[in-house]
Every structure is written in C-alpha cells, then in structure tokens.
C-alpha cells in the first residue's frame, strides 16, 4: 500500500466537545463530516482511548466547531495534545454554551454544530459517532483551516492517536545526537542542554515535559 495516497484526502480541523456531570471535555479532530441532509447528520471518528470519546459515549451529545486559519498552536495544542482528565482545556479561551449546555470554544471558530448521538460504530482504535444536528450557526466570517494549511503553514504535528497518523521513518530521527523530545506532542528539540524556561512550540508544554531521546 502506498501510504502517501492518504495525503491526497482533504480535511478540515475541528474541536469536538461534550460535558459529563460538571466536567467539560474536548479534543481536536480532522474527521468531522456531514453525512446526510434531511435530517442533517454528521459523523466524527474519535480515538477510543481519549477522554472525550469516553465522555460522548456516556453523554450522547457533542458539539463540533470548525476552526479558522487564525487558530494557533495555543488553541490546537491545548485541545489536541493534552487530556481533558487532568487539564481544563477551555480555561484560557472564550466559550459559549450550546442548547444542550455543552461548552464550546468561540475563538478562531467559523461555525458550530450541536449534535445528539443517534448511532455509534466501533472501529477498533476509534469510535465513529453519528450525530443528528439539533442546532447550528455561523460564528466568525474567516477562511476555515484545512489540514493541509495546518501542516504547511502552522507546521503542526499529527498526534499518534489520530486516524491519519503516520509514524516518521525511523532513519530520519535516529542519527542526530543530543535531542530532547516533548512527551506530550513528540516535538524534537536539538541541543546539548534544554533551557529551563523552554516552552514547547507545538503544544505549550514546559521543559519538565521533555526527555532526552
Ligand atoms: Fe509539545
């Protein structure tokens, strides 16, 4: 199989959020899509091990928001490379509540879709949720982020739990001496010593989250 064939698929970048009890959950995906028009339904595949997928299985509801090109690694890193279990992903951003009371980010967001889960399909590593759209609206009138723009302009990474993740060829990462790797997102820093006040440019993690490769 030619893995690069998958690069030809076009995606956007989205935050999926839900609420369980008093706790808010959210993660970044590239897999949100409209699948029917009447009634309007959407599909989204989310990694099973993630806190957000587990929470949606129980809450039966989610909000999908469409990120704009202005979204930076502060936002994408917070939602894409950390876990909702031990970190308040929404704390640093402007948010609103959908009709189901689920919090969603309104910054760098072009539109939102409030969905009730009507079907779930276990895909092994991921769960495919089908949701009926109960509310939707536009937010910012800005160009939306594509996955290609995220990789080429934002220089963003794909976390290992994403469906589209492809491991780097080992040879590309091995031979270089003195590398430090971010345990959160996998970013590699090159240098003999890692500055104490270093902050990961991808996910915002502090130097203490880095380990020598
Ligand atoms: Fe990082």
């Amino acid at each position: 199989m030619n893995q690069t064939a998958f690069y030809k698929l076009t995606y956007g970048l989205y935050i999926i959020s839900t609420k369980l009890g008093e706790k808010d959950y959210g993660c970044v995906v590239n897999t949100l899509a409209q699948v029917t028009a009447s009634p309007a339904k959407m599909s989204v595949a989310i990694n099973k091990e993630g806190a957000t997928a587990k929470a949606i299985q129980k809450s039966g509801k989610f909000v999908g928001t469409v990120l704009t090109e202005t979204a930076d690694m502060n936002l994408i890193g917070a939602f894409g490379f950390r876990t909702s279990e031990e970190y308040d992903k929404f704390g640093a951003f402007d948010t609103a509540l959908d009709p189901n009371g689920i919090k969603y980010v309104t910054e760098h967001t072009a539109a939102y879709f409030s969905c009730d889960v009507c079907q779930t399909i276990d895909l092994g590593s991921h769960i495919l949720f089908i949701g009926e759209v109960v509310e939707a609206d536009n937010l910012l009138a800005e160009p939306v982020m594509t996955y290609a723009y995220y990789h080429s302009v934002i220089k963003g990474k794909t976390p290992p739990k994403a469906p589209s993740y492809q491991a780097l060829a080992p040879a590309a990462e091995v031979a270089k001496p003195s590398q430090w790797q971010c345990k959160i997102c996998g970013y590699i820093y090159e240098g003999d010593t890692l500055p104490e006040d270093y902050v990961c440019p991808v996910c915002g993690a502090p130097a203490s989250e880095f380990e020598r490769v």
Side-chain angles (χ1 to χ4, degrees):
M1 197 189 322
N2 185 348
Q3 293 291 337
T4 63
F6 293 97
Y7 298 161
K8 306 290 167 62
L9 296 169
T10 301
Y11 303 97
L13 219 55
Y14 313 95
I15 292 178
I16 306 299
S17 58
T18 194
K19 183 184 180 76
L20 196 59
E22 290 308 302
K23 200 161 170 49
D24 303 308
Y25 295 84
C27 64
V28 172
V29 303
N30 66 328
T31 53
L32 183 69
Q34 180 179 5
V35 287
T36 60
S38 184
K41 291 182 183 176
M42 308 195 85
S43 68
V44 62
I46 309 181
N47 190 283
K48 244 165 133 168
E49 303 303 318
T52 303
K54 290 174 183 168
I56 295 174
Q57 282 185 289
K58 291 179 181 152
S59 72
K61 298 172 192 308
F62 66 88
V63 177
T65 56
V66 182
L67 292 180
T68 65
E69 284 182 356
T70 60
D72 56 18
M73 284 314 299
N74 262 341
L75 178 62
I76 298 168
F79 279 88
F81 293 101
R82 292 171 180 237
T83 169
S84 297
E85 289 296 0
E86 48 199 45
Y87 178 73
D88 175 16
K89 298 184 174 186
F90 297 84
F93 306 104
D94 294 338
T95 58
L97 297 179
D98 86 331
N100 287 326
I102 296 171
K103 197 178 278 185
Y104 62 94
V105 173
T106 54
E107 291 178 51
H108 311 295
T109 300
Y112 84 92
F113 302 90
S114 182
C115 299
D116 287 347
V117 174
C118 53
Q119 209 177 331
T120 64
I121 300 169
D122 192 326
L123 303 176
S125 61
H126 289 65
I127 293 176
L128 185 70
F129 295 100
I130 308 294
E132 184 164 340
V133 181
V134 294
E135 181 66 278
D137 206 355
N138 293 308
L139 296 172
L140 303 174
E142 293 172 3
V144 299
M145 174 88 77
T146 63
Y147 210 36
Y149 185 94
Y150 169 68
H151 284 298
S152 64
V153 180
I154 312 270
K155 305 290 182 200
K157 302 257 188 289
T158 300
K161 285 180 179 178
S164 51
Y165 176 74
Q166 293 187 7
L168 290 174
E173 293 290 354
V174 175
K176 297 174 183 165
S178 299
Q179 290 185 333
W180 302 76
Q181 184 168 34
C182 176
K183 288 186 280 186
I184 308 287
C185 73
Y187 177 81
I188 300 279
Y189 173 89
E190 288 181 25
D192 286 335
T193 55
L194 185 71
E196 272 179 36
D197 58 353
Y198 189 73
V199 174
C200 177
V202 172
C203 73
S208 58
E209 293 292 338
F210 279 72
E211 59 189 0
R212 191 182 280 275
V213 178

